[in-house]
Amino acid sequence: MERDIKTRRITFRYPAGSMRRHYVQDDLAMSHVVSVLSAAFPEGEAFMIRSVRAVADQITDPELKKQVAGFIGQEATHSREHRELNQRLQEMGYPAAFIDRATRRGLEARTRYSSAKYCLAMTAALEHYTAILAETLLSDESTQQMLGQGEVRSMLLWHALEESEHRAVAFDVYAAVGGTHRMRVLVMLFTTFGFFALAACASFMSLVRDPDFYNPRIFFRSVARLFRSPFFSGEVFRRLMSYSRKDFHPEEVDNTALIEKWNTVLFGEQGQIADHLH
């Protein structure tokens, strides 16, 4: 499938004092979960770029080559922009630097000790997760409202748009280099277990540093809201599970209209963050 995957030159800024402690709708749990994900993104994106570059010389399809270039450009920009946010989160008391170091060590070890094809299968699995989360955010107004109106909202919407644009690239590269269905499914199982275990541990470690964690009323209400959010809906889990089908492909759910809408909303003539481009 032909798809224009642009590398946008964009910059976000988070001046000191511009963010509340619980910057995601003043919510304890969601603020910490988003912070943990943001802290892991820079090294996660670097791993994905390494994994695709490792087999880039095996790709012969000109259209896929073009998409790989766009994928690498977008992921490199995501990594840079999340580092900017993570610096502010660290100053606010979130353990972003520790999570960043731990993610780097884990993923560098994975690159060192696993085959190139395994790393590519892991990248395709992670891209499946990020695409579903991104499209859930872009499709659900209540989820967007949770992010408020600040710079974090703008950055996450931009990131979600680009994850939706390049959601099939790693999967197609994996198929192009002869990746098997068996490995794809097994790696997804291993990746799912590792991702959720590490995300839960990192979120708990982040939460225990927050005084509101020790207020049962605040904590339990916040956790209940988290699990009632669209990110834990039946539709999200159905899409996640579809990955195990032999005939699965990321483009089987059409997101063309969603991408067109958010390109206009964010970058059209009156785009919300058109002035962030340079």
Side-chain angles (χ1 to χ4, degrees), residues 101-150:
R101 289 193 302 270
T103 305
R104 183 182 70 247
R105 289 169 185 155
L107 293 179
E108 285 181 349
R110 175 61 68 192
T111 301
R112 190 176 305 116
Y113 298 115
S114 298
S115 69
K117 201 168 287 185
Y118 185 103
C119 291
L120 189 55
M122 187 171 165
T123 295
L126 291 169
E127 284 292 302
H128 184 55
Y129 277 113
T130 55
I132 291 172
L133 294 176
E135 289 169 17
T136 300
L137 172 60
L138 296 177
S139 303
D140 189 87
E141 189 173 340
S142 65
T143 307
Q144 296 155 27
Q145 289 173 352
M146 290 181 66
L147 301 179
Q149 297 298 322

Side-chain angles (χ1 to χ4, degrees), residues 251-267:
E251 299 289 10
E252 67 186 27
V253 176
D254 185 12
N255 67 359
T256 306
L258 193 66
I259 288 174
E260 289 176 354
K261 171 189 172 182
W262 283 100
N263 258 307
T264 301
V265 169
L266 297 178
F267 301 111

